[in-house]
Amino acid sequence: MSDIIQLLPDHVANQIAAGEVVQRPSSVVKELIENAIDANATLIKLIIKDAGKVLIQVIDNGKGMSVTDARLSFERHATSKIKSADDLFNLHTKGFRGEALASIAAIAHIDLKTKQHNDDIGTHIKIEGSNTLSQDVIVTPTGTSIAVKNLFFNIPARRNFLKSNAVELRHIIDEFHRVSLAHPTISFTLHHNANELFNLPISNYRQRIVSVFGAKINEKLVPVKETTEILKLKGFIGKPEFAKKTRGEQFFFVNNRYIKSHYLNHAVSSAFEGLLKQGTHASYFLYLEVNPETIDINIHPTKTEIKFDDEHTLYAILRAAIKHSLGQFSIAPVLDFEHNSTLDTPYNYKNKQGVSNKLKIDVDSNFNPFKEEKQSLDPSFSKAATYKETPKASWESLYIESKSNTPEVKANDIRVETDEITASFFEADALATTKNTFQLHHKYVVNTIKSGLLIIDQQRAHQRILYEEFLQNITVKQGVSQQLLFPLQLEFTPNEIQILKSLSPQLAQTGFAFSKFSAETVECLGIPAILKETDVANVLEQLMSDIENEVPDTHFSQTDLLAKSLSKSLAIKTGQYLTKDEQEYILNRLFACKEPNISPTNKTTFITLLVTDIDKKFD
Ligand code: ADP
Ligand code: MG
């Protein structure tokens, strides 16, 4: 029988390799940018058309290639980065396999222009599906420009497999984030269909994170730093209170290369244990430096997974360093027992008959867990419970005091307040009599009543109070707005802008005033009186995320969701110290609510401990 084994022709081998290296346009982006970095570029421009399906071009000012190298670079296993197998264990470059360009050239149209510093003229090569069409001299700046056009032109099945432009562009942007965050000393730009999406100047790590994710991330970052013999760690973690529902901003870089590691991610999560609300994820940007000999990055073709020699030690160091930072920057644990404070148990407001236009803050006569004892209640308590008018409370007093342990008062916090909110609830005669309230574990407001003890969950109670207030604002009586001295420029995704636009009539009722909607920005001129200017962006972001998670179908559920989201964001939290006045405020206002016994998410707001029950314990 004749021999049947034959060597695959190079172009076929390259196409097969391409299947591994190039899954989608973003893979090409990654390979080309990594090559530019390896060429010591300080400026890298990425130009994309139609999410990379039409064009992916990377222009760098790196060292360029000689005529021979330019030609050789498209050969398989052609690399300038390793010479022997030993070099594999001491890699300081991104590439080393020498197959990226060969693979890409096998499945696309390539236009390469390159020139080295000392040369006057450069080289221009055109390749289509591994076939070199032309090679000329060209006048071109020092560095390299590689344009990759019509990706997968000769593999229709792969081309058809590509996702929508939005999805493919998302992948490209993710790749761009990873590589640009790893290299703040290189300037990057990204253009998509003539729009400039990013323009990142040379900077440091922190500034780079800020240029990529926007100025508002700056205040959320807490530095992390640790140097040990086997690991140098630096970077930032996001403060727990800004943790997100999506896993978006989580980055590990090992020797300036983005990597994925479930194991190390676990180390970070465990350091955050007890600090995060369930279902949220902390952000992190962690840069690890280890001896290249102690890692193996060769185990995955696209090189995002690596193997460490001493994973357990790295885990322990990482966890300890993050805990230390969280502690040092006094991020006190916020023990949130209201784990499902998301909006998944919607308050059934719409089943309430005509409640939206009846919503006055006065005592619901149906309410009362101690109805039979109404007459015997502590006089001050019953007085509070029949408190009818709602003078606009000085919300400031509820906040300033309790936040005094965080140095939050900033010069740009100045705002213009309208007269309406100056009358303080606490000056009202409700205060004339002192009440026996105290705060337990920064969690509960406890009040003595005749029959025993009333224990109020401060966070849930305040949510209830705010919820009814916002509902009333939206449906009956416009809330008080504070005009901002300097309008805030807010940035959102185009989708969020649409949501914001559609909600803006209701938001206006709560005190928000928006103008100048553009594709991704909006100007905020006024905010609800209760809100602090510095919290505006977070509150609106939370609102967007709530709405995206629970797509409200009717106008009514939209209003309900809005009130719920705002009350959730703005309510005082468990763990917050409350002054006597604030404790009483919670007590009084809670029992002036329509439904004081449950939070907007149907959680119990208070319980009573009867003397008779206490007596039993002494039996
Ligand atoms: P690898 O990066 O693994 O070496 P590639 O196929 O990505 O393999 O690139 C092959 C070779 O082409 C590189 O080793 C490098 O010498 C050269 N090269 C590729 N891109 C550039 C660039 N932008 N500037 C200078 N040289 C480049
Ligand atoms: Mg490469």
Side-chain angles (χ1 to χ4, degrees):
M1 222 176 139
S2 57
D3 300 333
I4 52 170
I5 295 178
Q6 47 179 307
L7 286 174
L8 289 175
D10 265 358
H11 72 275
V12 179
N14 285 336
Q15 269 202 18
I16 294 169
E20 266 209 332
V21 179
V22 185
Q23 277 113 30
R24 52 183 2 134
S26 66
S27 331
V28 174
V29 167
K30 175 178 192 303
E31 295 296 339
L32 296 185
I33 293 185
E34 288 188 349
N35 280 345
I37 293 170
D38 283 343
N40 298 327
T42 55
L43 175 63
I44 298 177
K45 294 183 184 174
L46 172 60
I47 299 165
I48 301 292
K49 289 213 174 105
D50 288 353
K53 294 172 185 172
V54 171
L55 171 74
I56 300 162
Q57 184 173 14
V58 171
I59 305 171
D60 70 55
N61 66 350
K63 64 183 178 210
M65 286 180 263
S66 69
V67 188
T68 326
D69 283 354
R71 194 64 190 253
L72 261 181
S73 66
F74 293 98
E75 297 293 322
R76 211 140 74 90
H77 305 307
T79 178
S80 55
K81 298 169 194 173
I82 58 171
K83 292 195 168 60
S84 72
D86 287 345
D87 294 343
L88 268 179
F89 300 101
N90 195 19
L91 279 172
H92 293 280
T93 54
K94 310 261 165 206
F96 57 89
R97 295 164 156 259
E99 59 186 4
L101 288 189
S103 302
I104 296 166
I107 48 153
H109 298 175
I110 308 277
D111 198 306
L112 166 80
K113 293 173 193 161
T114 185
K115 183 182 91 67
Q116 292 185 303
H117 178 65
N118 289 327
D119 294 344
D120 293 329
I121 46 167
T123 308
H124 184 191
I125 295 180
K126 287 186 174 186
I127 302 179
E128 281 187 15
S130 298
N131 298 316
T132 308
L133 300 186
S134 66
Q135 177 174 340
D136 307 300
V137 291
I138 193 172
V139 176
T140 184
T142 297
T144 303
S145 155
I146 302 189
V148 175
K149 298 174 196 168
N150 307 323
L151 191 65
F152 298 130
F153 78 99
N154 50 357
I155 319 180
R158 294 296 297 277
R159 197 170 168 88
N160 294 337
F161 187 68
L162 292 177
K163 297 273 177 8
S164 70
N165 281 7
V167 171
E168 295 301 341
L169 183 63
R170 188 68 247 169
H171 284 288
I172 289 173
I173 290 174
D174 284 347
E175 211 58 73
F176 183 81
H177 281 169
R178 292 166 183 177
V179 73
S180 61
L181 288 170
H183 296 278
T185 55
I186 299 174
S187 166
F188 289 91
T189 62
L190 168 54
H191 287 84
H192 182 240
N193 294 344
N195 296 323
E196 183 180 86
L197 300 187
F198 291 93
N199 187 342
L200 312 174
I202 289 174
S203 60
N204 61 25
Y205 285 103
R206 187 171 191 134
Q207 288 162 348
R208 176 54 55 91
I209 296 169
V210 169
S211 344
V212 171
F213 292 107
K216 61 188 169 184
I217 199 167
N218 196 24
E219 56 172 324
K220 305 178 186 174
L221 298 176
V222 176
V224 177
K225 203 170 163 55
E226 182 63 89
T227 307
T228 68
E229 244 169 53
I230 67 159
L231 168 69
K232 262 173 86 177
L233 169 69
K234 60 175 187 253
F236 302 89
I237 47 176
K239 291 182 186 165
E241 63 265 38
F242 298 114
K244 295 196 155 185
K245 289 216 176 81
T246 51
R247 281 186 180 270
E249 292 153 11
Q250 301 191 327
F251 297 89
F252 280 120
F253 302 94
V254 173
N255 297 352
N256 288 329
R257 179 197 296 275
Y258 169 83
I259 61 131
K260 285 183 186 142
S261 166
H262 291 305
Y263 188 65
L264 294 186
N265 177 61
H266 192 272
V268 179
S269 318
S270 77
F272 271 92
E273 212 168 271
L275 297 173
L276 296 179
K277 273 192 193 159
Q278 206 180 40
T280 64
H281 306 277
S283 303
Y284 56 81
F285 308 86
L286 296 168
Y287 299 86
L288 290 73
E289 246 178 84
V290 297
N291 182 342
E293 287 177 20
T294 66
I295 52 174
D296 182 1
I297 42 181
N298 209 3
I299 60 169
H300 197 276
T302 53
K303 294 169 285 177
T304 50
E305 275 157 37
I306 67 173
K307 205 173 143 3
F308 298 96
D309 282 355
D310 197 354
E311 263 190 345
H312 294 304
T313 318
L314 291 186
Y315 185 103
I317 298 173
L318 197 60
R319 182 167 184 266
I322 291 171
K323 279 192 158 232
H324 180 76
S325 290
L326 287 168
Q328 197 176 15
F329 291 86
S330 60
I331 292 148
V334 178
L335 292 170
D336 189 357
F337 46 89
E338 192 170 334
H339 276 323
N340 293 316
S341 61
T342 47
L343 299 151
D344 40 26
T345 36
Y347 173 52
N348 221 357
Y349 221 87
K350 56 183 149 188
N351 298 339
K352 300 245 168 264
Q353 251 185 347
V355 75
S356 56
N357 36 22
K358 278 210 316 215
L359 245 187
K360 283 185 258 116
I361 301 292
D362 60 12
V363 182
D364 182 346
S365 49
N366 296 330
F367 153 73
N368 209 335
F370 2 85
K371 194 163 194 154
E372 56 288 6
E373 307 178 31
K374 200 156 191 172
Q375 299 317 313
S376 56
L377 279 174
D378 173 6
S380 57
F381 180 67
S382 56
K383 184 164 190 178
T386 52
Y387 178 63
K388 283 209 173 63
E389 268 298 302
T390 10
K392 287 292 162 195
S394 167
W395 286 98
E396 298 310 297
S397 62
L398 192 54
Y399 280 84
I400 289 167
E401 185 72 33
S402 50
K403 291 216 164 168
S404 59
N405 45 355
T406 49
E408 283 263 41
V409 185
K410 291 182 194 140
N412 62 2
D413 242 350
I414 312 163
R415 43 194 123 108
V416 186
E417 292 185 1
T418 57
D419 286 340
E420 276 181 83
I421 56 165
T422 50
S424 166
F425 173 81
F426 301 116
E427 286 158 14
D429 58 358
L431 247 195
T433 41
T434 43
K435 296 191 187 71
N436 301 319
T437 64
F438 65 93
Q439 197 187 13
L440 182 64
H441 276 217
H442 293 186
K443 236 193 211 178
Y444 302 111
V445 173
V446 182
N447 185 47
T448 52
I449 50 176
K450 199 133 196 180
S451 58
L453 287 177
L454 176 71
I455 304 172
I456 300 172
D457 180 318
Q458 64 188 44
Q459 180 172 343
R460 295 177 185 183
H462 197 209
Q463 283 178 357
R464 161 57 57 185
I465 296 166
L466 292 178
Y467 173 67
E468 293 200 1
E469 178 144 321
F470 279 122
L471 272 187
Q472 196 200 24
N473 287 162
I474 299 170
T475 53
V476 185
K477 184 165 148 264
Q478 187 161 6
V480 179
S481 174
Q482 42 172 328
Q483 300 303 301
L484 298 173
L485 214 46
F486 305 104
L488 288 173
Q489 297 295 331
L490 301 172
E491 285 176 23
F492 290 100
T493 64
N495 189 29
E496 289 171 337
I497 289 284
Q498 289 313 314
I499 297 177
L500 208 58
K501 241 189 196 162
S502 71
L503 274 181
S504 82
Q506 287 115 299
L507 282 166
Q509 289 288 110
T510 69
F512 278 106
F514 295 112
S515 77
K516 297 193 186 153
F517 281 98
S518 80
E520 299 190 22
T521 60
V522 64
E523 220 175 74
C524 179
L525 310 168
I527 57 180
I530 171 179
L531 188 55
K532 282 174 55 194
E533 190 175 332
T534 45
D535 289 338
V536 172
N538 291 330
V539 166
L540 290 174
E541 235 163 56
Q542 180 64 49
L543 179 66
M544 296 302 141
S545 127
D546 287 344
I547 287 182
E548 279 169 6
N549 286 337
E550 190 174 298
V551 195
D553 45 357
T554 65
H555 179 75
F556 196 90
S557 59
Q558 221 178 37
T559 300
D560 188 56
L561 196 78
L562 178 64
K564 236 183 247 179
S565 176
L566 292 179
S567 61
K568 193 176 68 175
S569 299
L570 294 171
I572 52 161
K573 302 288 183 292
T574 295
Q576 195 165 320
Y577 166 77
L578 300 182
T579 63
K580 269 264 179 300
D581 286 352
E582 291 161 352
Q583 295 166 22
E584 282 166 18
Y585 180 88
I586 293 290
L587 175 73
N588 295 341
R589 290 297 298 263
L590 178 64
F591 290 103
C593 283
K594 278 269 168 198
E595 289 202 51
N597 44 327
I598 48 164
S599 77
T601 49
N602 282 336
K603 304 268 169 60
T604 306
T605 49
F606 68 88
I607 56 157
T608 53
L609 200 56
L610 300 177
V611 176
T612 48
D613 292 337
I614 300 172
D615 287 345
K616 278 185 201 140
K617 299 220 177 249
F618 286 95
D619 276 351

